Amino acid sequence: MVQQARRTGVPAQARPSVLRHAQHVSLQLLAEPIPAGQGEAAVLLMFDLSADGGGGAVAVADAERDEQVHRLREDLAAMEREGEAALAELRVAHEEAMSLNEELRSSNEEPQTYKEELQSMNEELVSVNAQIEEKIDELERALGDVRNLMDATQVPTLFLDRDLRIRRCTEPTRRLFHLFDADVGRALRDIAGRVDAPTLLADVAAVRDGQQPTESEVADADGRRYLRRLAPYRLRDDRVDGVVITYLDITTLLRAAADARRLAAVLDSSNDAVLVYEFEGRIRSWNRGACAIYGYDEDAAKQLSIEALEPKAERGAALAIAAQARQSASVGPRRACRLTREGRALDVPVSVSVLKDEAGQPIAVLSTERDLSETLRLEPEVRFRAMADLVPALLRIDDACGRAEYMNEAWLVLTGLQSSAPLLGTGWHSFVHPDDLPVLVEREQRSRVGQCRLECDLRLRDHDDEYRWTRTTEAARFDAQGSLRGYVSLTVDIQDRKLAEQALAQEAARKDELLAMLGHELRNPLAPIGDAVALIEGGGQRDPKLR
C-alpha cells in the first residue's frame, strides 16, 4: 500500500484486523503521499482503531481523526516549510558544492597537468637514466680497456694532480718508484725512485705551468735507458689539472739502433761495394764503396737495374746468380764483370746472399763485390811494407819536398808510439837532439840541392826519453821517367860504436896526457945530464983526464 501510494501519488487505505487486548479489532490504515520536491515522495501513515463503525463513536472518532489530520497537516505543512527551507539551504549548499566541485575539478585538472608533466618528465628521466647507465657501462668498459691496455703495454705511467701529488700509477711504475697503495696522495718530492733524475720536480712543474710536453732520456740504477715524457693532464674544458709521466724502456731499441748504426757504418765505410737489389734486378741500396768503385752516387744507382752494370756479353748473369741464391740462400764468391759509369770493365769477385722478411720469404739480394785492380796495384807496396817492417833499422820514405810519408815498424819500437801518424811530415824531428837538429836540416838541404847522398850522425830520443846515437844515410829515389819521387832514409843504431869510439878517444887522450907527463918528467933530469955530456965532450979534448 505504501509503495502504491508513493508510486501513484494518490492516498490509499486498507482495513486490516489486529489483535488488541485479546480481541480482534478492525483497523483502518490510510497512506497519504507527501510531495518532497525533486526527491523521492514521503508517505504519511494514519491508523484508525474504530473498527466497529458505530455512530457516536464513529463521529467522535471522525472528529478526533479530523483534528488529528488537521494537526498532522499543520505539522506536515510546518515540516514542508522546514523542508523547503532546508531544501533551499541544500540548494545553496548544493550550488556551493557545485562551485566547489568546479573549483576542485579545475584544481584537479592542474594536478592532472602536473601529473602528465611529471609523467613526461619521469619518462625523460627514465630515458636519461638509461642513457646514463649506458654511458656508465661504456665508461666502465673504457676504463677497463684503458686499465688493461696500460697493464698490457707494461709502460710505467705516473699520474700527478695539480699539487704534484700521486693520483694513480700503473703496475710497472710501482717497481720503478717502489710505490704502494698507501703512497697515493703523497707528494712526488717525498718519493725516491730508481731513476736518476735530479731535475724531475723542476721539469714537472715547468710542464704543469708551461703546458708543453717535454721528452728526455734517463737511466735507472741498473743502467737501463728510458724515454721520459712529461705531458699536462687536461680536463674536458682544456684546463690543466696535473701532469702525466711515462717511462718508455728504450734500452733494447738503443742497442738495436747502435748495432744498426755500427752495421750501417761498417757497410757504408767498407771499401767493398755492398748493394741490395730485387730479384727483378732493381737496385734498392748502394753504399759508399759502390760509389767509389762504379762511379754512381746512391740516388743515380737506385734508378738503375743490376743489368746496367753488366757488359752486353754477360748481361743476365747477375739475375741468374740471384735466382740460384734464392734456392740455396747464398752463392759465391764468383767472378763477375762489371762496368763503371765511364764504361771501364772491372773483374770483381761477387758473394751473394738472400734477404728475407719477417715471414721468412726472400725479398731481395745482398751482393758484396770487391775491385781487385787496386789490390793488384797495391800488392807490391804491401809486400814492400811487410819487408820494411822486418828490417832491423829505421826506414823512412820522404816525398819530393822532404816530408816523411812512411815510417817502418822500427820507428814505433824506438819511440814507443802506437801509430806512425805523429812521425809523418816533420813530426819525427821532435825526437832529434836539439843540438843535432840544425846540423841535420843544413846537411839535408845541401844534399838535396846537390842531389848527393847524405850521411850524418845524430842522436834520437827513445821511448825511455834517452838519446841514442844513430847514423842516417839518405838517397834520392826516381820514377821510370827519371823524375824525383822523394828520398829514402835508413837510420841504424851506432850507440855502442859511439860509446866505443868515445872510450878509445878518452884512452888516446889519457895516453897523450901520460906521454906528455913522461916527457916533461924525463926532460928535467936529462937536461943536466945533457949539459954534463956536452961539457965532458967539449972539455975532454983539452984535458986528457976527462977521456
Side-chain angles (χ1 to χ4, degrees):
M1 185 181 65
V2 173
Q3 295 295 334
Q4 179 183 356
R6 180 179 296 174
R7 183 174 61 254
T8 61
V10 179
Q13 60 180 353
R15 289 184 176 274
S17 177
V18 296
L19 183 64
R20 182 183 182 186
H21 303 295
Q23 291 181 359
H24 289 278
V25 179
S26 175
L27 175 65
Q28 185 178 1
L29 180 62
L30 177 63
E32 185 177 350
I34 300 174
Q38 296 179 357
E40 186 178 357
V43 178
L44 176 64
L45 292 178
M46 293 180 293
F47 300 91
D48 187 6
L49 296 178
S50 57
D52 53 356
V58 171
V60 174
D62 291 337
E64 292 178 355
R65 186 187 65 184
D66 293 337
E67 184 180 359
Q68 185 177 5
V69 168
H70 179 70
R71 189 172 54 251
L72 288 175
R73 285 182 176 177
E74 290 179 353
D75 292 338
L76 180 60
M79 290 179 62
E80 286 180 354
R81 289 191 297 270
E82 292 178 357
E84 290 177 357
L87 182 60
E89 292 178 357
L90 288 175
R91 286 175 179 172
V92 172
H94 179 69
E95 291 177 358
E96 292 179 354
M98 291 294 291
S99 176
L100 182 61
N101 187 30
E102 291 293 334
E103 292 179 359
L104 290 177
R105 186 176 299 171
S106 175
S107 299
N108 188 32
E109 290 178 355
E110 293 181 359
Q112 281 297 118
T113 304
Y114 293 152
K115 181 180 178 181
E116 292 176 357
E117 292 178 356
L118 289 176
Q119 288 179 348
S120 176
M121 187 178 298
N122 188 36
E123 291 176 357
E124 292 179 0
L125 290 176
V126 170
S127 177
V128 172
N129 188 34
Q131 293 178 1
I132 292 175
E133 290 180 355
E134 184 179 355
K135 293 296 183 181
I136 291 175
D137 293 338
E138 292 179 359
L139 181 60
E140 289 179 352
R141 288 194 297 270
L143 288 177
D145 293 341
V146 171
R147 188 180 300 108
N148 284 277
L149 175 63
M150 295 175 65
D151 293 339
T153 55
Q154 292 294 305
V155 176
T157 306
L158 192 62
F159 297 88
L160 305 178
D161 60 13
R162 183 72 185 177
D163 297 326
L164 304 185
R165 296 180 180 275
I166 296 176
R167 176 181 292 166
R168 188 178 293 108
C169 67
T170 58
E171 188 62 30
T173 315
R174 299 176 181 268
R175 298 190 296 269
L176 200 61
F177 283 89
H178 305 293
L179 295 177
F180 299 94
D181 293 337
D183 292 325
V184 175
R186 291 183 60 188
L188 181 63
R189 62 175 176 272
D190 299 333
I191 305 298
R194 301 177 65 249
V195 178
D196 183 17
T199 63
L200 177 60
L201 290 176
D203 295 340
V204 170
V207 171
R208 178 197 60 189
D209 299 334
Q211 304 181 7
Q212 293 296 327
T214 61
E215 291 183 353
S216 59
E217 188 176 325
V218 296
D220 62 6
D222 298 332
R224 299 192 67 83
R225 308 294 298 182
Y226 294 89
L227 180 63
R228 187 190 69 192
R229 178 176 175 82
L230 307 179
Y233 185 98
R234 297 185 181 274
L235 301 178
R236 294 185 62 181
D237 56 358
D238 206 32
R239 286 187 300 109
V240 175
D241 193 42
V243 179
V244 181
I245 308 175
T246 57
Y247 291 87
L248 182 62
D249 191 346
I250 58 174
T251 305
T252 304
L253 181 62
L254 289 177
R255 291 175 181 171
D259 293 341
R261 285 194 300 269
R262 284 195 294 269
L263 179 59
V266 169
L267 292 178
D268 191 58
S269 61
S270 174
N271 292 327
D272 295 342
V274 180
L275 52 148
V276 177
Y277 58 92
E278 300 173 353
F279 290 101
E280 294 78 13
R282 183 179 179 82
I283 296 175
R284 296 174 52 181
S285 178
W286 188 267
N287 75 331
R288 189 167 54 187
C291 295
I293 294 176
Y294 299 124
Y296 296 97
D297 58 23
E298 186 174 5
D299 294 335
K302 288 182 178 180
Q303 305 299 322
L304 302 176
S305 172
I306 189 64
E307 294 180 335
L309 302 179
E310 295 180 309
K312 292 183 179 180
E314 298 190 13
R315 188 157 297 174
L319 295 181
I321 295 177
Q324 183 178 355
R326 189 170 192 170
Q327 301 297 327
S328 58
S330 63
V331 174
R334 285 188 178 183
R335 175 198 167 278
C337 186
R338 295 283 187 262
L339 291 178
T340 66
R341 188 168 190 171
E342 294 78 14
R344 184 166 54 92
L346 299 177
D347 286 333
V348 296
V350 175
S351 297
V352 174
S353 58
V354 175
L355 300 180
K356 299 181 179 180
D357 57 13
E358 296 179 355
Q361 297 299 321
I363 57 175
V365 175
L366 174 68
S367 178
T368 304
E369 305 175 3
R370 176 174 298 178
D371 183 9
L372 296 180
S373 58
E374 185 68 14
T375 302
L376 296 175
R377 185 183 67 81
L378 295 177
E379 187 175 355
E381 182 176 352
V382 173
R383 287 200 301 268
F384 164 75
R385 289 175 182 258
M387 290 186 295
D389 288 337
L390 298 176
V391 174
L394 306 179
L395 181 63
R396 187 183 78 251
I397 298 179
D398 299 343
D399 59 13
C401 296
R403 293 186 297 266
E405 59 183 12
Y406 171 73
M407 317 286 279
N408 72 338
E409 188 72 23
W411 278 95
L412 302 182
V413 174
L414 174 70
T415 58
L417 298 176
Q418 299 297 323
S419 171
S420 61
L423 300 173
L424 300 180
T426 59
W428 67 278
H429 284 175
S430 61
F431 290 88
V432 179
H433 195 282
D435 296 339
D436 299 337
L437 183 58
V439 178
L440 172 65
V441 173
E442 190 270 333
R443 290 190 180 183
E444 283 182 341
Q445 293 176 350
R446 226 180 342 167
S447 64
R448 288 170 182 174
V449 171
Q451 296 294 320
C452 59
R453 181 185 296 271
L454 167 68
E455 291 188 0
C456 177
D457 293 346
L458 52 90
R459 285 165 288 183
L460 295 176
R461 188 178 75 249
D462 62 9
H463 55 83
D464 295 326
D465 288 336
E466 296 181 357
Y467 286 96
R468 299 183 65 85
W469 279 101
T470 60
R471 172 173 285 273
T472 297
T473 303
E474 182 182 284
R477 59 190 181 97
F478 302 91
D479 57 14
Q481 289 75 27
S483 300
L484 179 66
R485 292 288 306 277
Y487 305 90
V488 178
S489 175
L490 186 65
T491 303
V492 296
D493 190 340
I494 60 171
Q495 177 71 10
D496 295 337
R497 192 185 76 182
K498 274 290 184 180
L499 293 178
E501 289 178 353
Q502 291 175 359
L504 290 176
Q506 291 175 359
E507 291 296 332
R510 285 198 296 270
K511 182 185 70 172
D512 293 340
E513 291 177 359
L514 179 59
L515 292 177
M517 182 184 64
L518 290 176
H520 177 71
E521 293 179 353
L522 291 176
R523 192 178 299 115
N524 290 334
L526 288 177
I529 295 175
D531 293 340
V533 173
L535 181 58
I536 293 172
E537 290 180 351
Q541 296 177 356
R542 297 187 300 270
D543 190 354
K545 294 180 179 181
L546 295 175
R547 295 184 177 178

